[in-house]
Amino acid sequence: MKAFTSQSLRRAVAAVCFAALSGIAVPAQAHHGGAHYLDVPTLTCWTQNDPSGADEPYLKLNGSRIWTGPDCTPITTMYPGITTTFWNQVYLDIMEDDFGNDDFCGSVLVGPQSGWGQQTYYSYKFVSGLGYIINYQMEYTVYQ
C-alpha cells in the first residue's frame, strides 16, 4: 500500500477539487457487492404534456413500469411511495400515457456512481414563446 505524504495528499485533493469545479467527471466509489435501494416519495407535475385533459404519468425503471399515477394537472404533487431494489445503475424514466405513443418526459441515471442520498430531478419541456420550463420534479433517494 502506498503511503501518502502531506504534499501528495494535498495535490490529490486539489486535483479532485479542480476537476469537480471545472465540470470534469470524477469517478465515484461504487458499491457493487449487493442490492441498492431507490425510494421515490414525490413526483410533481408543473406543466402538462397533453394540450387538453390531464396528464397520466407513470415511472419506469430500466424499461419496466414500476408506478402508475393518478391523472394530474399543473402544480399537482403525487406520492408514489415507491421503494425498490436494483443492481449497479439504472435509468428512472418519467413517462406520460397517451392513446398513441407515450410521451417521454425525462430520465435520470440512478445508482452509486451517480450519487447517494436524497436528490431532485427536474425535467424540462420547450414551450413556444416561453422557452424551456419545468415539466416534472421528482424527489428520489438512493441508498444501500
Side-chain angles (χ1 to χ4, degrees):
M1 183 156 135
K2 182 180 176 185
F4 285 100
T5 65
S6 63
Q7 184 177 19
S8 64
L9 186 57
R10 280 194 302 269
R11 284 184 184 154
V13 169
V16 169
C17 291
F18 173 78
L21 291 173
S22 56
I24 299 170
V26 178
Q29 295 298 318
H31 167 72
H32 299 288
H36 308 296
Y37 299 93
L38 171 68
D39 289 339
V40 183
T42 63
L43 178 67
T44 301
C45 172
W46 288 102
T47 56
Q48 288 180 230
N49 281 311
D50 286 341
S52 63
D55 277 3
E56 300 86 20
Y58 66 93
L59 299 175
K60 292 185 349 183
L61 191 66
N62 260 10
S64 297
R65 191 181 286 218
I66 59 169
W67 175 78
T68 300
D71 290 1
C72 67
T73 54
I75 315 177
T76 300
T77 298
M78 296 155 286
Y79 302 93
I82 298 168
T83 298
T84 188
T85 59
F86 65 94
W87 299 87
N88 201 7
Q89 292 192 117
V90 292
Y91 284 97
L92 178 58
D93 302 327
I94 302 171
M95 304 292 294
E96 198 273 316
D97 202 349
D98 280 327
F99 289 113
N101 293 333
D102 291 349
D103 294 331
F104 173 80
C105 299
S107 183
V108 62
L109 184 62
V110 298
Q113 297 90 335
S114 305
W116 295 105
Q118 185 175 351
Q119 299 178 51
T120 303
Y121 170 75
Y122 295 94
S123 69
Y124 295 88
K125 69 183 242 176
F126 185 80
V127 176
S128 182
L130 295 175
Y132 285 95
I133 61 173
I134 296 174
N135 189 194
Y136 282 92
Q137 175 184 337
M138 178 172 55
E139 303 290 331
Y140 67 95
T141 302
V142 176
Y143 58 98
Q144 61 185 51

